[in-house]
Amino acid sequence: VKFEVTILGSGSAAPTLGRNPSGHLVNIRERFILVDCGEGTQVQLRRYKIKFQRINHIMISHLHGDHFFGLVGLLSTFHLLGREMALNIYAPKALQDIIELQLKVSATRLRYPLNFIYLESKSSELIFEDNLIEVRTIPLDHRVYCNGFLIREKVGQRRINKELLAKYKIPLAIIPQLKDGKDWEKESGEVLKNEVLTLNPHRARAYAYCSDTRYNESILDHINDVDLLYCETTFLKAHLDRAKATFHCTAEQAATLAKKANVGRLLTGHYSGRYSNIADFEAEAKTVFDNVVLGSEGVKVEIKL
Ligand SMILES: [Zn+2]
């Protein structure tokens, strides 16, 4: 029951030798979701040995180049590797026009279907769910239309208490109904209550990805109590004026959001290229909020049960 985030890129704007632009690979219970796809993301996927064919969902926060310029290259590589499985892309509608034009002029006919799911709402919406997980958008406050993503488990079924299974000789056939929360009525007519026979479900874990955005407390409603919050930290507070002008956050502001939302841990990233020592971001964030994970290429953050 893995839930893990791998940082593929922690820089903003142009790629450099040390930093790639945005990209997070989320493995939530063996569903692989790529969030943002800056230039060079496919090389990072190789570097960290992530199996390309397991990615079935790509979510793009907004159409600044450092968040999607790697996409057409990745789609082409999927094609060259023989992919046949459909790929779902969640993004502003204009991205479909961009990708289709790039494929058309390069005479590329993908051998797998691309499904575009348009993001255009200004309020949070459910964009994907299956039996185990769900993904909702988080409206952000940036220079262009931008969404974060709240990726969370669904509350699971009740868990069987194995000791009691033996003690009460519970037939295997009734386990599904116990997991659904129903009581067990024995043939004798005796009723054993569900809460006696089972344990509460595991807590549903959640990861919130918030990039890019300026400080805005309307985000708090969407990220309350998440286990892990990624909030962009493009600037240090010494450059608060730049953060305001470009609709980005400082490390201190990201930490303030983390604290007010009572999250488990804060993950930093999207650092401006002007800073050479990213440890300063961790230090600044920690003046406000203790549980800071300093994001950088190759860092894996596991959310434990
Ligand atoms: Zn941006």
Side-chain angles (χ1 to χ4, degrees):
V1 281
K2 202 168 219 189
F3 194 166
E4 184 178 77
V5 179
T6 303
I7 315 302
L8 305 171
S10 70
S12 65
T16 62
L17 289 176
R19 297 215 175 280
N20 276 71
S22 290
H24 282 196
L25 193 277
V26 183
N27 170 1
I28 171 169
R29 306 187 68 142
E30 300 308 308
R31 282 108 174 108
F32 287 73
I33 301 171
L34 177 63
V35 183
D36 281 340
C37 188
E39 193 178 337
T41 292
Q42 61 171 313
V43 180
Q44 295 295 85
L45 290 169
R46 286 193 192 281
R47 180 164 289 137
Y48 303 120
K49 301 191 166 46
I50 291 151
K51 294 197 178 75
F52 282 37
Q53 307 299 13
R54 302 204 60 184
I55 298 171
N56 292 327
H57 305 278
I58 300 179
M59 302 180 176
I60 302 292
S61 61
H62 67 300
L63 297 186
H64 281 152
D66 56 337
H67 293 259
F68 82 94
F69 279 175
L71 185 58
V72 75
L74 179 61
L75 300 184
S76 169
T77 299
F78 282 155
H79 170 75
L80 296 172
L81 292 174
R83 182 186 182 107
E84 291 178 357
M85 180 104 83
L87 181 70
N88 301 309
I89 299 179
Y90 308 75
K93 187 172 189 301
L95 186 62
Q96 182 176 15
D97 302 334
I98 296 166
I99 294 295
E100 287 182 348
L101 180 63
Q102 287 177 306
L103 294 174
K104 186 176 148 204
V105 297
S106 61
T108 306
R109 278 182 62 90
L110 297 180
R111 64 182 97 222
Y112 59 92
L114 272 188
N115 301 327
F116 280 91
I117 295 95
Y118 306 140
L119 305 183
E120 40 201 7
S121 174
K122 289 203 168 121
S123 28
S124 174
E125 55 183 350
L126 179 68
I127 55 172
F128 174 76
E129 70 174 327
D130 63 16
N131 57 333
L132 293 179
I133 73 161
E134 59 178 37
V135 183
R136 291 173 191 275
T137 56
I138 303 171
L140 298 178
D141 186 359
H142 197 41
R143 279 167 294 156
V144 297
Y145 175 68
C146 184
N147 291 289
F149 301 100
L150 177 64
I151 300 172
R152 73 184 323 155
E153 292 176 306
K154 291 184 172 174
V155 176
Q157 293 180 305
R158 296 194 63 80
R159 293 177 297 136
I160 299 300
N161 185 334
K162 291 205 177 94
E163 284 171 24
L164 297 181
L165 205 62
K167 182 178 168 193
Y168 289 109
K169 299 193 175 63
I170 299 170
L172 293 177
I174 73 138
I175 286 179
Q177 76 183 56
L178 290 180
K179 286 184 172 177
D180 279 344
K182 298 192 182 91
D183 299 333
W184 175 34
E185 186 176 348
K186 293 167 120 177
E187 284 183 16
S188 64
E190 183 190 357
V191 175
L192 289 174
K193 288 284 185 196
N194 188 283
E195 52 268 33
V196 174
L197 299 174
T198 64
L199 305 167
N200 287 334
H202 284 299
R203 197 175 51 84
R205 296 167 289 177
Y207 171 55
Y209 176 97
C210 295
S211 186
D212 297 354
T213 189
R214 67 172 164 181
Y215 183 83
N216 185 328
E217 294 192 351
S218 71
I219 297 169
L220 295 174
D221 294 341
H222 306 283
I223 61 172
N224 266 315
D225 300 323
V226 298
D227 299 82
L228 180 65
L229 166 67
Y230 166 68
C231 181
E232 65 131 288
T233 52
T234 308
F235 294 101
L236 294 171
K237 68 179 177 184
H239 297 110
L240 179 62
D241 55 333
R242 289 299 302 147
K244 282 184 175 162
T246 57
F247 287 65
H248 286 298
C249 279
T250 65
E252 184 182 73
Q253 289 176 323
T256 304
L257 289 173
K259 185 179 179 186
K260 290 193 173 185
N262 189 39
V263 307
R265 283 179 292 172
L266 169 68
L267 173 62
T268 61
H270 200 262
Y271 312 115
S272 162
R274 76 179 63 211
Y275 304 105
S276 52
N277 181 14
I278 61 165
D280 293 343
F281 288 88
E282 183 177 13
E284 181 175 305
K286 278 186 170 171
T287 61
V288 177
F289 183 77
D290 284 333
N291 299 324
V292 178
V293 180
L294 185 67
S296 70
E297 282 66 10
V299 166
K300 286 179 193 283
V301 190
E302 191 180 350
I303 304 173
K304 296 219 167 80
L305 268 176

